[in-house]
Amino acid sequence: MSGAPDTTSHSSHRLGPLALGALGVVYGDIGTSPLYTIKTAIEWSGGAIAPEEALGMLSLIFWTLIVITSIKYVAVIMRADNDGEGGILALMSLLGIKRGRHPAIIAIGMLGAALLFGDGAITPAISVLSALEGLKTPAPAIAPYIVPLSVVVLIGLFSVQYRGTAEISRLFGPVMIIWFLAIGALGLAAVVQHPGVLAALNPAVGAAYLFEHGAAGFLILGAVFLCATGAEALYADMGHFGRQPIRLAWYGLVLPALVLNYAGQTALIVSEPPAASPNPFFDLCPAGLQLPLVALATLATVIASQSIITGAFSMTRQAIQLGLLPRIHVSQTSAESYGQIYVGFVNWALMALTLILTIVFRSSDSLAAAFGIAVSLTMLLTSFLMFVAMREVWNWSLPLSLLAAGLFVVVDGSFVAANMVKFFEGGWIPLVVASIIFFLMTCWSQGYVAMRAALERDTFPLADFIRKFRGKPRVQGCAVYLSGRHNVVPVPLLHNLKHNKVVHERVVILHVQTEQVPRIKAAQRVETQDLGDEFYSVTLRYGFMEQPNIPRALILESIGCPLRFNMMDTSFFVGRLSILPTSAFKWRRFKMGVFEFLHRNAVPATEFFQIPPGRVVELGSQVEI
């Protein structure tokens, strides 16, 4: 099977370019977190903190980066790949579908994906706001225009998505290198003047802060967690670059730059009264360079937002291919890069929610309360799945698995609890969005299973049908019937026979199958079985990261296939189903009603599979579920 790049396949001369690409795509979110993490922690602590409190916060931030990002994600969880692909949906597929559909694992994966969708609207808003808020330091008079400027930047960002980012994304890596070098240098300059802040690297300093401040110190964990909100992206984007380039970029540049910048901000707070440093990130910079730093920060946050948007597009396609969402129109925006896609519905929905959040909350400090809940919950769910991977994939012993996964569950659970305190201050927003998406996913997956079962009740074995029509007159041409199974007669074939009284001289039962791997090689795409009497069974196999194209597969990728297809002589027969919910249970009937709505508004199978409209015959029928 073809998968994503892996460390074993990279030569040394490819490792550098891939690490550069990872800097531009993977690290935008976590790389821009210094803009608001310490600033938010100061705000949540009341706006006035003593030097020892600043050191305690720095210690918590440092060890969060080490435990959550460096150990959990970069060192451990990236080992649990699904043929090179990462992310909670790929992990769910690896553990829950490949090894038999385990309902609990499927539910965890669906909920984690839904939470990431909910978080996807917050990241662009808080990132762009925090960057433009830097203008307040060199130009205080511009403060009333921060929100309008942010709205303009965000509208521009979402409006150009349909054109793709194949060209501009080549600049992402170099821009992020400049960003990390700049923030690292600013932090280093402050640390050199106050090297005593490095004492915060001792974990005892952070532990002492938590014990001495009790509940107040625990609540600060919600702000501290903001430093790791992009860690999930490291895992989700693994398939684009492979483990080794992502690890090289993290340990070689990103982690040192982040630690230096957080330490530098802390040094500034320790050396100056807190009131004199309302925005410690931008106050690190000399006055003459603050405007260029704001411009660089804005570019970095746009890149971070772009990565989140692209990730939402990719996750949508995965969910569709895994049968968790209805078919949505997906456009390929680049012939060279498969990951360059555009999903219009997701783009405009994210833009609407992002703009609402920006206008309502109006500052990065206010949005911070809504930011951490969704990501921390997703990380907690990933830790539960990681325990299953330790046992079933890596074959670790039970005590070792409980010790390792238990540590991460405790840490993640602490961050979830700390973030939940801000539930009524905005934290409810991503949870509501995630709940709606999770509910739609369950309605679709359950409804689709019920619809398939109902269709199978209305048909009979294909072998009996072939025997019945052996030797009888046929009409010219090739008829292709899309079907979910090979061993039963497709309902559209029965309806064609019932209404038109014909069977074509060549009949193809076509099944499009989504495998639990990211991609399938072209040579392995088409599988054909001769059923006799000019009846054929054809399976087209796609990975869950691929967009099916039936004509292309039948004409160009049917290597070794005994059939040769001429689109001008081929008709595709598909069913146009009307769903009628009939369950006696009100809640199930309601869910089936939601499924009926989603099914009615989904992209038609012919469009999703890219079948020429002029070669399609639709036959209607009604299905009770």
Side-chain angles (χ1 to χ4, degrees):
M1 302 296 177
S2 62
D6 196 8
T7 60
T8 57
S9 62
H10 297 322
S11 59
S12 58
H13 72 278
R14 288 285 295 153
L15 191 57
L18 285 168
L20 176 62
L23 284 171
V25 174
V26 175
Y27 290 110
D29 189 0
I30 199 169
T32 53
S33 59
L35 285 165
Y36 45 78
T37 298
I38 289 184
K39 180 170 173 281
T40 301
I42 296 173
E43 178 73 20
W44 288 11
S45 63
I49 58 175
E52 61 272 13
E53 293 176 321
L55 292 177
M57 291 179 183
L58 174 60
S59 182
L60 293 173
I61 289 172
F62 173 76
W63 285 104
T64 298
L65 288 173
I66 296 299
V67 175
I68 295 292
T69 309
S70 296
I71 298 177
K72 176 184 173 181
Y73 279 95
V74 178
V76 180
I77 196 64
M78 285 179 67
R79 297 180 58 208
D81 67 291
N82 188 356
D83 289 272
E85 289 291 336
I88 196 164
L89 282 180
L91 185 59
M92 178 207 73
S93 175
L94 173 68
L95 301 176
I97 299 180
K98 272 187 172 182
R99 298 167 179 265
R101 298 184 67 89
H102 194 292
I105 292 177
I106 302 287
I108 289 175
M110 291 166 60
L111 181 57
L115 287 166
L116 289 178
F117 275 119
D119 176 66
I122 302 177
T123 297
I126 192 173
S127 298
V128 173
L129 275 172
S130 61
L132 292 177
E133 283 169 353
L135 291 171
K136 295 179 182 179
T137 302
I142 205 170
Y145 305 101
I146 297 299
V147 173
L149 284 173
S150 300
V151 168
V152 170
V153 171
L154 290 168
I155 290 176
L157 173 64
F158 283 100
S159 297
V160 300
Q161 292 301 313
Y162 76 97
R163 301 180 62 180
T165 58
E167 294 298 325
I168 194 173
S169 62
R170 297 174 184 173
L171 300 175
F172 286 0
V175 169
M176 293 308 295
I177 283 183
I178 296 173
W179 168 257
F180 285 118
L181 290 176
I183 67 172
L186 291 173
L188 178 61
V191 171
V192 168
Q193 296 181 20
H194 303 279
V197 297
L198 296 180
L201 302 187
N202 182 349
V205 175
Y209 176 87
L210 290 177
F211 284 116
E212 291 172 6
H213 291 78
F218 178 76
L219 296 182
I220 291 298
L221 285 178
V224 169
F225 178 73
L226 296 176
C227 74
T229 51
E232 190 74 26
L234 307 182
Y235 182 41
D237 289 322
M238 181 174 64
H240 296 290
F241 305 99
R243 300 186 194 94
Q244 193 67 15
I246 290 177
R247 287 171 173 164
L248 175 63
W250 173 253
Y251 292 117
L253 178 60
V254 180
L255 178 61
L258 292 177
V259 171
L260 283 172
N261 191 264
Y262 285 123
Q265 291 187 53
T266 304
L268 186 65
I269 295 169
V270 169
S271 64
E272 298 181 5
S277 184
N279 196 333
F281 176 84
F282 287 101
D283 290 338
L284 277 177
C285 184
L289 295 177
Q290 284 185 345
L291 284 177
L293 181 61
V294 170
L296 180 60
T298 303
L299 280 176
T301 55
V302 166
I303 290 172
S305 303
Q306 177 63 60
S307 300
I308 292 295
I309 296 168
T310 303
F313 293 165
S314 297
M315 192 161 56
T316 300
R317 179 165 60 185
Q318 289 186 54
I320 293 171
Q321 295 295 75
L322 291 171
L324 305 179
L325 286 176
R327 293 183 297 268
I328 303 174
H329 185 70
V330 178
S331 302
Q332 189 74 32
T333 59
S334 171
E336 291 79 22
S337 177
Y338 182 79
Q340 294 286 339
I341 60 174
Y342 171 71
V343 185
F345 176 78
V346 174
N347 182 68
W348 301 122
L350 277 179
M351 186 185 85
L353 186 54
T354 299
L355 293 179
I356 290 173
L357 293 173
T358 303
I359 294 170
V360 171
F361 285 88
R362 304 188 66 80
S363 74
S364 60
D365 292 335
S366 300
L367 264 175
F371 193 30
I373 290 181
V375 182
S376 59
L377 274 172
T378 303
M379 289 183 175
L380 180 60
L381 295 174
T382 300
S383 293
F384 287 128
L385 293 182
M386 185 172 63
F387 171 76
V388 180
M390 289 174 176
R391 296 286 294 147
E392 298 186 4
V393 179
W394 304 333
N395 297 317
W396 287 14
S397 66
L398 180 60
L400 179 59
S401 300
L402 286 173
L403 178 63
L407 170 65
F408 297 130
V409 167
V410 169
V411 173
D412 292 335
S414 300
F415 285 124
V416 170
N419 277 293
M420 280 297 181
V421 176
K422 297 292 183 179
F423 178 85
F424 293 106
E425 298 179 29
W428 60 270
I429 294 175
L431 296 184
V432 169
V433 173
S435 298
I436 293 172
I437 295 174
F438 179 75
F439 175 71
L440 295 177
M441 283 181 170
T442 58
C443 289
W444 178 261
S445 57
Q446 293 174 12
Y448 190 77
V449 170
M451 182 185 71
R452 288 280 299 273
L455 288 174
E456 291 174 4
R457 291 196 301 265
D458 298 331
T459 186
F460 57 92
L462 181 60
D464 295 344
F465 183 88
I466 295 174
R467 283 195 299 269
K468 182 177 180 180
F469 284 90
R470 182 167 294 141
K472 292 189 176 182
R474 310 276 191 92
V475 297
Q476 291 184 350
C478 175
V480 178
Y481 293 91
L482 272 67
S483 175
R485 290 179 57 183
H486 286 301
N487 58 345
V488 297
V489 183
V491 173
L493 175 53
L494 294 176
H495 281 270
N496 189 32
L497 182 63
K498 176 181 178 181
H499 296 290
N500 298 322
K501 317 297 184 189
V502 297
V503 175
H504 287 72
E505 62 180 354
R506 188 168 63 172
V507 177
V508 175
I509 312 299
L510 180 63
H511 175 52
V512 180
Q513 181 173 316
T514 301
E515 301 289 349
Q516 307 311 316
V517 295
R519 296 175 181 85
I520 299 294
K521 293 180 180 178
Q524 300 171 337
R525 178 87 63 208
V526 184
E527 181 181 323
T528 305
Q529 182 181 1
D530 189 345
L531 303 177
D533 202 30
E534 293 299 314
F535 280 82
Y536 298 89
S537 171
V538 175
T539 299
L540 299 184
R541 302 168 63 243
Y542 289 91
F544 60 79
M545 291 290 290
E546 295 183 287
Q547 181 67 31
N549 186 323
I550 287 179
R552 175 183 176 85
L554 294 179
I555 295 174
L556 300 178
E557 297 179 315
S558 55
I559 302 171
C561 175
L563 292 172
R564 287 295 176 264
F565 290 90
N566 178 1
M567 286 298 113
M568 299 306 296
D569 190 41
T570 302
S571 297
F572 292 85
F573 289 83
V574 297
R576 171 68 71 174
L577 300 177
S578 297
I579 308 298
L580 182 62
T582 60
S583 175
F585 301 99
K586 291 183 178 180
W587 178 242
R588 179 174 173 80
R589 188 162 65 247
F590 174 71
K591 294 183 74 174
M592 293 303 100
V594 173
F595 169 75
E596 186 276 332
F597 173 81
L598 295 174
H599 184 271
R600 176 161 35 92
N601 290 278
V603 172
T606 52
E607 181 180 342
F608 184 76
F609 293 133
Q610 304 183 56
I611 303 172
R615 308 309 308 169
V616 175
V617 179
E618 291 188 343
L619 298 168
S621 61
Q622 182 173 284
V623 178
E624 294 183 353
I625 58 174

